[in-house]
Amino acid sequence: MKQLVTPAIVLHRTDFGEADRILTLLTPEYGKLRLIAKGVRRIKSKLAGGIELFSVSDVTFIKTPRSEIGTVISTRLGTHYGHIVQDLTRTMLGYELIALLNKATEDQTEPEYFALLENAFKALNTLSVAPDIIASWFRMQVLRMGGHMPNLQTEANGQPLDASRNYRFDTDAMAFEHDPASGMMRAQHIKFLRLAAGPHLPEAIASVQGTAQAATECLPLIRRFYELQHRV
């Protein structure tokens, strides 16, 4: 059987038997892989160092005929984003984003998803980037990649969004609606949503004045966007 090598990110680990572990890995070329790492839970295992969470590693594996689960042959740690585990908020957010992506890629795993999660780790590892910016950006990117973006250009009635108006979000139309009395969404929020949905990385978004506060204020709405499309 041919040995294959790929960069990989661990999405899930399940203990199996006395010393083995079944891994769900995200890769840029092979999508999601389920592999067994034999003996990895033993103290002297050479595989353990290359399957750490919040890391990108090179994994050598073989696909087993007539089985959905392949076998890990060797691992080599590439980049470990160690600052994530030094902060509880960032650690918990990291787990949350991994779980969201694992669920979002049940039916499709384009290479873009690997880059998304790797960039999320880089941002979480950068302590100057507010967690709410990362959480908002990640969900907006998954929505964009899945073709489920809300309308961020016009009101529900088709009129262009006006920076001087207050809006509420109509979840049925997935668009903003002018609400001068109780609308809480204003120009700075719409600007942030557009940044989060665009090609910008969290580090660049964080450099724009006011985005940390806007992210915190937009995050409940973004979570609602996500729930409506992914039912989580």
Side-chain angles (χ1 to χ4, degrees), residues 88-105:
L88 181 59
T89 298
R90 290 174 184 274
T91 302
M92 297 309 296
L93 179 55
Y95 284 130
E96 180 183 339
L97 300 187
I98 288 172
L100 287 175
L101 192 137
N102 195 19
K103 185 173 180 61
T105 56

Side-chain angles (χ1 to χ4, degrees), residues 85-213:
V85 296
Q86 295 172 5
D87 180 275
L88 181 59
T89 298
R90 290 174 184 274
T91 302
M92 297 309 296
L93 179 55
Y95 284 130
E96 180 183 339
L97 300 187
I98 288 172
L100 287 175
L101 192 137
N102 195 19
K103 185 173 180 61
T105 56
E106 285 180 347
D107 299 322
Q108 58 178 348
T109 49
E110 302 298 328
E112 198 175 6
Y113 287 105
F114 181 89
L116 175 66
L117 190 54
E118 184 176 14
N119 284 326
F121 288 169
K122 291 177 182 177
L124 284 167
N125 203 57
T126 305
L127 302 183
S128 60
V129 181
D132 284 351
I133 290 178
I134 303 168
S136 298
W137 167 83
F138 190 88
R139 284 175 171 79
M140 292 296 286
Q141 291 295 314
V142 173
L143 287 170
R144 177 187 62 78
M145 292 160 63
H148 300 303
M149 278 296 297
N151 181 357
L152 302 178
Q153 305 303 321
T154 66
E155 298 181 22
N157 62 9
Q159 294 296 316
L161 294 173
D162 187 331
S164 66
R165 287 184 161 189
N166 286 12
Y167 292 96
R168 69 174 182 85
F169 196 81
D170 184 337
T171 54
D172 292 327
M174 286 298 281
F176 288 99
E177 185 173 272
H178 181 217
D179 186 345
S182 57
M184 300 299 291
M185 294 288 105
R186 296 180 293 279
Q188 64 267 33
H189 302 112
I190 295 169
K191 177 182 179 181
F192 173 76
L193 290 170
R194 289 173 176 172
L195 285 171
H200 315 283
L201 294 177
E203 294 89 335
I205 296 172
S207 69
V208 179
Q209 186 175 5
T211 50
Q213 180 176 344

